[in-house]
C-alpha cells in the first residue's frame, strides 16, 4: 500500500537537517514529543499562549497516522448529543468528560473550519471534512503552527532521559540530549508501528515508575476457529476472504453478562473477521478471550425478518430444488451468507428445519484470538489516568525537575470508531497543552525573577 503518494516529505514541517549534538535549546522551550494530532494540538495551545514550543518526532514528517485515517474519509468526530457522546468512553467516561467539556465535537468542527476545512455530518451522524481528506487539514495546521513560531525537529526518536533528566533523542547525527523544564509526551498507541507509534515508550515510562496498562488491540479484527478450530477452510478462505457480510447483525453476551447487539457490516478475512461491526464489539470480544480463552458471537444473516417468517420459508415445500437453491429462492441467502452456513453449521442441523432457521438468525461464530496490536485501528491500555492529575500531568515522574504531561492515544482509554478516537485525542492534547502552558508560565516567571 502506498501511503504517501507524493512522498512523506511533502508534509514535512522542516527540511530534515539534523540538529547539532547537544545544541540544547533553552530549557524554557516546551518540548512536545510526538507530532500526531494530540501533540500538535498541545503545541497549538502552548504557542497560542505565548510559549516557545518545539515538536520532536521519530519520523521524517508528522501526522502519519492522521493521514492514514484520511484514507478512510477522516471521521473527525460525531454529531450526537454530548451526554451520549461521552458514554462512548465506557468506564473512562468520567475522566474524559472534562476534556470534552473544554474541547468536544463542536470545538473539533470549529477548529477544522478555522483551518479552512469545513465539515459535514454524514447520514450516520459521523462528521467528516467536506473533502473527506486529511492532507489539506494537516497542511493548513502545520502552516498555522509554523507561523505561530512552533519549531519542528524530525527524525528525533525519544529514548528516555539521561542522568541529568534531559530528553535523549536518537537522530541521524547521533544521540542528542535536550533540556526542557516542561515536556508533553504524545507518543501514540502501539498499532501501525511503521507510521511511528511503536509503543516503545511503555518500558521507558515504566522504568521511571509510571503506571502503564499493557497496550492491547482495540477496534481490531479476530481469528475465527472455523469448523475444525483451525480457521476458515481453504475453500471458504479462497472464495470469500475480502468479501463483506452486508445487512447482518451480531449479538455478543460475555461471561460478565455484558451484551452487545447491532446491525451493520463486516468482512471475512483470510483468518477471520474484521470491519466496523466487529470493531464495535471488539473490546468485549477481546476481554472475553483474555478471561476465558475464547469468545463467540451470534451472526444473524437475516436481521430484518421475523423468526416465524424464516421458519415458514425454510419449511416451505421445495420440490426437486436443492436446499441451497431453496434458501436462495425463498430467503435470498446466497454468496457469503450461504457459504458461512455451510462452513459452520453441522450437517445434522441442515436436516432439521427448526435448527436451520435458528442458525440462519443466530449462527455461532467462535473466535480464537484478536489480530495483533500492530494491525488494530487503535490501542487500549496506556498511561493510567489515575497516575495523572486533571491537567494530565504525570505524577511522580520529574526528570531533572521537569514537569511531564501526557496526551492522546498513549493514555489508558478506548472508544469505538465513529470519530470518538480523534475527538478524545485532540481534547486530551488541548487539556495537556493548557496544563503545560500554566507550568511554563510559572517557570518563565520564576526564571525572570531570578535574573
Ligand atoms: C487505519 C486507521 C484509520 C483511522 N481512522 C480514524 C478515523 O477516521 N477517525 C478517528 O477518530 N480515528 C481514526 N484512527 C485513529 C487515530 O488516527 C488515532 O487515534 C490518532 O492518530 C492518535 O493520535 P496521537 O496523536 O495520540 O498518536 P499518533 O497519531 O499515533 O502520533 C504519535 C506520534 O508520536 C511519534 N512517536 C512515537 N514514538 C516516538 C518516539 N519514541 N520518539 C519520537 N516520536 C515518537 C510518532 O512518530 C507519531 O508521529 C484511525 C487509525 C488507523 C490506524
Amino acid at each position: 500500500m502506498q501511503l504517501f503518494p507524493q512522498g512523506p516529505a511533502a508534509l514535512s514541517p522542516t527540511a530534515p537537517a539534523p540538529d547539532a549534538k547537544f545544541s540544547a535549546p533553552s530549557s524554557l522551550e516546551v518540548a512536545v514529543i510526538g507530532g500526531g494530532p494530540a501533540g500538535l494540538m498541545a503545541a497549538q495551545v502552548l504557542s497560542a499562549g505565548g510559549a516557545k514550543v518545539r515538536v520532536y518526532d521519530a519520523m521524517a514528517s508528522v501526522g502519519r497516522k492522521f493521514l492514514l485515517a484520511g484514507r478512510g474519509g477522516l471521521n473527525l468526530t460525531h454529531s450526537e448529543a454530548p451526554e451520549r457522546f461521552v458514554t462512548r468512553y465506557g468506564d473512562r467516561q468520567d475522566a474524559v468528560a472534562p476534556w470534552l467539556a473544554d474541547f468536544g465535537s463542536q470545538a473539533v468542527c470549529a477548529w477544522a473550519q478555522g483551518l479552512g476545512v469545513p465539515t459535514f455530518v454524514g447520514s450516520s451522524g459521523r462528521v467528516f471534512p467536506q473533502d473527506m481528506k486529511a492532507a489539506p487539514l494537516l497542511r493548513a495546521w502545520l502552516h498555522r503552527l509554523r507561523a505561530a513560531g512552533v519549531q519542528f525537529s524530525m527524525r528525533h526518536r525519544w529514548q528516555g532521559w539521561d542522568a541529568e533528566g534531559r530528553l535523549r533523542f536518537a537522530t541521524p547525527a547521533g544521540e542528542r540530549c535536550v533540556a526542557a523544564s516542561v515536556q508533553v509526551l504524545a507518543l501514540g498507541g502501539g498499532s501501525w508501528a511503521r507510521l511511528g507509534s511503536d509503543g516503545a515508550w511503555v518500558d521507558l515510562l515504566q522504568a521511571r515508575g509510571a503506571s502503564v496498562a499493557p497496550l492491547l488491540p482495540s477496534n481490531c479484527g479476530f481469528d475465527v476457529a472455523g469448523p475444525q478450530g483451525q480457521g476458515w477452510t481453504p475453500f471458504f478462505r479462497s472464495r470469500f476472504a475480502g468479501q463483506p457480510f452486508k445487512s447482518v447483525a451480531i449479538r455478543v453476551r460475555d461471561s460478565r453478562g455484558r451484551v452487545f447487539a447491532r446491525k451493520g457490516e463486516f468482512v471475512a478475512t483470510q483468518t477471520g473477521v474484521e470491519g466496523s461491526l466487529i470493531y464495535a464489539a471488539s473490546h468485549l470480544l477481546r476481554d472475553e478471550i483474555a478471561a476465558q480463552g475464547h469468545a463467540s458471537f451470534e451472526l444473524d444473516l437475516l436481521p430484518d425478518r421475523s423468526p416465524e417468517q424464516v421458519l415458514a420459508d425454510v419449511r416451505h415445500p421445495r420440490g426437486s430444488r436443492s436446499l441451497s437453491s431453496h434458501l436462495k429462492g425463498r430467503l435470498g441467502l446466497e454468496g457469503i451468507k450461504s457459504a458461512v452456513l455451510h462452513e459452520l453449521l453441522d450437517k445434522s442441523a441442515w436436516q432439521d428445519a427448526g435448527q436451520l432457521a435458528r442458525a440462519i438468525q443466530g449462527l455461532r461464530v467462535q473466535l480464537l484470538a484478536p489480530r495483533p496490536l500492530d494491525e488494530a485501528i487503535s490501542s487500549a491500555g496506556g498511561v493510567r489516568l489515575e497516575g495523572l492529575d486533571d491537567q494530565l500531568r504525570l505524577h511522580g515522574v520529574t526528570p531533572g525537575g521537569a514537569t511531564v504531561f501526557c496526551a492522546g492515544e498513549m493514555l489508558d482509554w478506548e472508544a469505538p470508531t465513529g470519530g470518538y478516537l480523534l475527538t478524545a485525542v485532540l481534547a486530551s492534547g488541548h487539556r495537556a497543552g493548557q496544563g503545560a502552558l500554566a507550568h511554563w508560565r510559572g517557570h518563565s516567571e520564576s526564571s525572570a525573577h531570578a535574573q
Side-chain angles (χ1 to χ4, degrees):
M1 173 165 51
Q2 199 190 0
L3 286 178
F4 304 102
Q6 298 110 33
L11 286 165
S12 177
T14 52
D19 306 61
K21 198 178 180 188
F22 297 120
S23 61
S26 154
S27 65
L28 285 179
E29 198 171 77
V30 179
V32 174
I33 303 128
L40 295 179
M41 181 53 76
Q44 177 182 316
V45 171
L46 280 155
S47 62
K52 285 175 68 180
V53 187
R54 182 174 291 269
V55 176
Y56 298 87
D57 200 288
M59 306 301 281
S61 59
V62 294
R64 291 189 173 207
K65 196 177 274 183
F66 187 71
L67 289 175
L68 176 68
R71 289 172 61 98
L74 195 68
N75 182 191
L76 279 173
T77 187
H78 201 287
S79 59
E80 68 193 1
E83 314 79 77
R84 180 136 182 80
F85 195 107
V86 73
T87 63
R88 308 300 181 176
Y89 301 91
D91 57 9
R92 294 296 190 212
Q93 59 184 283
D94 289 347
V96 174
W99 317 346
L100 298 178
D102 283 356
F103 200 89
S105 60
Q106 287 191 359
V108 171
C109 296
W111 160 79
Q113 175 77 48
L115 290 168
V117 177
T119 55
F120 75 97
V121 182
S123 53
S124 58
R126 295 174 180 222
V127 178
F128 302 89
Q130 214 135 60
D131 59 5
M132 311 276 288
K133 291 181 182 152
L137 188 54
L138 183 59
R139 200 173 292 123
W141 199 8
L142 293 177
H143 182 73
R144 156 101 46 102
L145 291 172
R146 271 196 302 267
V150 175
Q151 305 281 314
F152 291 87
S153 291
M154 297 295 97
R155 295 195 172 101
H156 276 57
R157 177 166 295 284
W158 178 63
Q159 300 197 300
W161 292 276
D162 71 4
E164 282 90 60
R166 293 177 305 178
L167 295 156
R168 287 178 54 222
F169 292 102
T171 80
E175 181 165 297
R176 189 177 163 216
C177 296
V178 173
S181 47
V182 181
Q183 306 171 4
V184 179
L185 301 180
L187 298 161
S191 74
W192 290 74
R194 64 185 177 280
L195 302 185
S197 326
D198 58 9
W201 55 265
V202 171
D203 290 346
L204 300 175
L205 286 189
Q206 279 179 332
R208 284 274 172 167
S211 175
V212 182
L215 296 182
L216 298 172
S218 183
N219 296 300
C220 57
F222 291 84
D223 292 337
V224 297
Q228 312 291 335
Q230 293 170 343
W232 299 124
T233 57
F235 170 78
F236 186 90
R237 196 183 316 136
S238 65
R239 293 284 297 275
F240 297 102
Q243 291 206 19
F245 289 96
K246 287 193 171 173
S247 307
V248 294
I250 66 169
R251 290 183 293 272
V252 180
R253 175 184 290 276
D254 72 8
S255 51
R256 289 164 56 191
R258 296 185 296 176
V259 174
F260 173 95
R262 193 174 297 172
K263 274 168 65 172
E265 293 186 15
F266 66 94
V267 176
T269 64
Q270 288 287 332
T271 62
V273 289
E274 67 177 22
S276 56
L277 193 53
I278 299 297
Y279 297 160
S282 62
H283 61 297
L284 291 185
L285 296 167
R286 177 201 65 212
D287 292 352
E288 185 70 357
I289 291 172
Q292 306 293 329
H294 55 85
S296 66
F297 63 85
E298 280 180 8
L299 172 58
D300 184 346
L301 296 165
L302 296 173
D304 297 325
R305 302 206 187 202
S306 70
E308 295 75 23
Q309 260 182 311
V310 173
L311 182 58
D313 278 322
V314 170
R315 281 199 173 134
H316 195 273
R318 62 184 163 99
S320 59
R321 286 201 299 187
S322 71
L323 188 48
S324 293
S325 309
H326 177 71
L327 295 181
K328 180 177 171 186
R330 301 283 323 170
L331 292 165
L333 279 179
E334 57 180 327
I336 194 170
K337 288 186 173 180
S338 166
V340 78
L341 268 181
H342 284 282
E343 178 83 352
L344 297 180
L345 190 59
D346 278 353
K347 295 284 165 281
S348 59
W350 284 88
Q351 313 309 322
D352 178 322
Q355 278 192 54
L356 180 54
R358 277 195 298 282
I360 289 169
Q361 293 192 297
L363 184 66
R364 189 155 297 281
V365 181
Q366 296 282 354
L367 304 176
L368 294 175
R371 294 296 301 161
L373 173 60
D374 195 49
E375 294 176 18
I377 298 286
S378 58
S379 308
V383 177
R384 288 202 169 88
L385 301 182
E386 296 75 12
L388 301 160
D389 71 11
D390 59 4
Q391 293 298 303
L392 303 184
R393 184 171 63 95
L394 200 51
H395 292 304
V397 179
T398 54
T403 316
V404 180
F405 295 80
C406 296
E409 205 180 299
M410 72 181 292
L411 302 180
D412 182 18
W413 56 271
E414 67 178 316
T417 58
Y420 307 106
L421 296 168
L422 277 174
T423 305
V425 161
L426 291 166
S428 61
H430 188 265
R431 180 150 278 243
Q434 285 182 323
L437 181 61
H439 276 263
W440 174 81
R441 286 190 173 135
H443 279 288
S444 14
E445 274 161 24
S446 51
S447 55
H449 285 133
Q451 280 167 8

